[in-house]
Amino acid sequence: MLYTHILRNSISWRYPRKVLENAWYAMRSTPKAPTPFKLKLENTTVCNLRCNMCPHGVGLKRPIGSISYENYRHIFDQIYPCYLNLTGIGEPLLNKDIFKIISHARSKQTFVKLDSNATLLNRDNGLKMLNASPNILSISIDGMKKETFEKIRVGANFERVIENTENFVKLKKEIENTDTHIHTFMVVQQENLMQLPEYIRWADKIGVDSINGTFVIRLGMNENNEIGLDKCTKEDIEKVKAETIKALKEVRTKVRIANLMNFLYTFDKIKGESINKGHNVNAPCFLPWYTPYITWDGNVCPCDFYAENEIVFGNIFEEPFMKIWNNEKAKAFRRQLIKKRVGICSSCGVNESEIYDKYKFINKIPLIQNITHRKH
């Protein structure tokens, strides 16, 4: 689990009070939340691709732009996150201040992760990235065949992305003073499902630090159900499951695809249902207690699945963050989430059962039972 890696390597010993406070509020699931230990900050909505599972693929309706270093500092200094995820609907290497932002956060002992499509990850940008030294750079690889990859990642060149990724791994080995972990990530969907085993073997062969993946999900109101996994045949599922299990036994690199494997093992049970609907509505989600999503222009949202700003608690350039984080709109959202997932939340793939199951014994303590809002 990614959080285990983060806690062991950065947060737990540097910010024990903040981590415990967030865990306490999340398990109690009160409408009020503390200063979050994690921040998802959208560094840009500018992108050079139009991927089929992204709102850019159908046309992002909200403003396009990048966060400046000065505006980043305005946000960072209010929250001082233990974990900063520079995510967003855009390519970070198109933000001119991205390396300065990473370097500053790392200088404050913050764990930093960001995602890239690797189209611009040439040697020069690779050196700048390793010099800025994010803890994790995750590279999106959504297919191992040129036709498949370029159909999903519209505007990308398959050969260039593979070459950039392999060269970046080699470059990291040349650099002595860097602790950046290189992760790969596949968004599995109808087009590339059968290439999952090949992806795992390739990523292991080139020497990345972690191999990751999940199924395609809907971001905001972007309708992408037609590219999901609903139309898979039982024969395809059995074939890719067997080959993936075989690949997992062969590789040495850490592989994090638990939700994908769960889908492959339970395909017969959910056959005929959308993977993004129905079977996950009761899964616990704690994100609105410890992970705000703040857009490049300052909108504070419950999470990044509200990609078109469908729900905004307030704007951090107009009000202090903690005033927004615990205003009536934010507290009402949390109250609703612990009762039932509705709207976009009901089609979201986030399932934090692992966290809940690990610590649910706390809710069995009589005193805690009387103060928790999460009645399960």
Side-chain angles (χ1 to χ4, degrees):
M1 186 178 178
L2 180 59
Y3 281 141
T4 302
H5 169 74
I6 294 167
L7 289 169
R8 286 176 178 173
N9 289 277
S10 180
I11 293 174
S12 58
W13 61 271
R14 289 174 179 161
Y15 306 94
R17 182 198 61 78
K18 204 166 188 178
V19 172
L20 290 173
E21 183 182 30
N22 274 253
W24 172 251
Y25 273 85
M27 291 305 295
R28 287 185 62 199
S29 296
T30 61
K32 183 179 179 181
T35 305
F37 85 82
K38 177 182 176 182
L39 169 62
K40 279 194 171 185
L41 180 59
E42 181 178 73
N43 68 84
T44 187
T45 52
V46 180
C47 196
N48 54 351
L49 303 183
R50 293 295 180 267
C51 303
N52 64 2
M53 63 283 189
C54 176
H56 268 306
V58 294
L60 192 66
K61 298 176 181 63
R62 60 187 177 89
I64 303 295
S66 300
I67 194 167
S68 66
Y69 176 74
E70 292 72 22
N71 284 347
Y72 149 78
R73 283 294 305 270
H74 176 82
I75 298 170
F76 184 93
D77 292 347
Q78 289 187 60
I79 302 174
Y80 207 130
C82 311
Y83 172 21
L84 176 64
N85 190 342
L86 292 166
T87 189
I89 305 173
E91 169 52 42
L93 291 176
L94 290 170
N95 182 340
K96 64 181 180 61
D97 288 339
I98 191 64
F99 300 119
K100 190 175 180 181
I101 290 170
I102 296 169
S103 295
H104 172 267
R106 286 304 312 274
S107 74
K108 298 298 181 180
Q109 288 75 53
T110 292
F111 192 102
V112 179
K113 176 183 179 293
L114 73 159
D115 310 277
S116 174
N117 60 35
T119 57
L120 304 174
L121 195 61
N122 52 33
R123 183 175 178 85
D124 182 52
N125 281 331
L127 287 170
K128 291 177 182 177
M129 184 67 71
L130 293 172
N131 184 56
S133 194
N135 296 84
I136 296 175
L137 176 66
S138 180
I139 298 174
S140 300
I141 304 292
D142 292 333
M144 295 309 300
K145 300 283 190 297
K146 179 179 175 65
E147 181 181 1
T148 303
F149 182 91
E150 294 181 0
K151 183 176 181 180
I152 294 172
R153 296 204 153 257
V154 179
N157 178 277
F158 174 71
E159 291 86 358
R160 181 178 297 117
V161 169
I162 295 298
E163 181 181 9
N164 285 350
T165 303
E166 293 180 350
N167 286 341
F168 185 65
V169 173
K170 294 176 183 176
L171 183 62
K172 180 197 168 184
K173 295 176 181 179
E174 297 175 14
I175 307 297
E176 295 181 357
N177 298 319
T178 181
D179 57 0
T180 296
H181 277 225
I182 302 173
H183 290 194
T184 55
F185 198 96
M186 174 182 274
V187 179
V188 174
Q189 49 195 274
Q190 196 76 39
E191 293 288 339
N192 64 10
L193 172 64
M194 304 307 292
Q195 296 168 33
L196 177 61
E198 185 180 353
Y199 155 72
I200 292 171
R201 292 188 175 102
W202 166 80
D204 176 70
K205 181 180 178 181
I206 69 171
V208 301
D209 298 294
S210 178
I211 304 167
N212 303 267
T214 190
F215 44 75
V216 66
I217 57 175
R218 192 175 84 174
L219 290 176
M221 299 308 294
N222 178 36
E223 294 287 352
N224 56 17
N225 291 335
E226 71 278 4
I227 64 173
L229 299 168
D230 305 60
K231 299 177 182 177
C232 294
T233 66
K234 183 177 180 179
E235 291 72 22
D236 284 342
I237 292 297
E238 289 302 319
K239 181 178 180 180
V240 74
K241 180 171 71 174
E243 195 61 35
T244 301
I245 291 172
K246 183 179 178 182
L248 291 174
K249 293 178 180 179
E250 296 172 358
V251 303
R252 296 183 178 181
T253 308
K254 178 68 176 179
V255 182
R256 298 185 178 95
I257 57 168
N259 55 346
L260 287 174
M261 296 308 296
N262 181 63
F263 167 74
L264 295 177
Y265 276 110
T266 61
F267 177 78
D268 283 343
K269 296 179 181 179
I270 63 174
K271 178 66 176 170
E273 297 179 8
S274 169
I275 193 168
N276 295 329
K277 295 179 180 178
H279 71 285
N280 201 37
V281 292
N282 295 317
C285 173
F286 301 103
L287 293 179
W289 280 267
Y290 70 89
T291 308
Y293 180 68
I294 302 181
T295 63
W296 72 273
D297 49 355
N299 289 322
V300 179
C301 307
C303 72
D304 54 332
F305 291 95
Y306 288 87
E308 286 284 7
N309 288 359
E310 291 86 355
I311 294 182
V312 176
F313 298 152
N315 191 287
I316 198 169
F317 299 131
E318 298 172 1
E319 294 181 283
F321 171 76
M322 285 307 295
K323 183 178 179 180
I324 297 171
W325 193 228
N326 282 313
N327 64 21
E328 286 307 311
K329 192 170 184 179
K331 289 190 287 188
F333 183 89
R334 296 186 187 103
R335 290 190 191 100
Q336 177 60 57
L337 186 59
I338 64 172
K339 292 179 181 178
K340 182 182 179 181
R341 291 196 187 201
V342 297
I344 291 173
C345 288
S346 65
S347 62
C348 168
V350 169
N351 183 344
E352 297 191 295
S353 295
E354 185 175 350
I355 296 175
Y356 182 75
D357 292 343
K358 188 173 183 179
Y359 298 105
K360 67 181 179 181
F361 71 90
I362 296 176
N363 282 343
K364 296 182 180 179
I365 301 172
L367 176 62
I368 303 298
Q369 287 180 344
N370 294 329
I371 63 177
T372 182
H373 291 245
R374 194 176 289 269
K375 307 293 183 181
H376 287 300

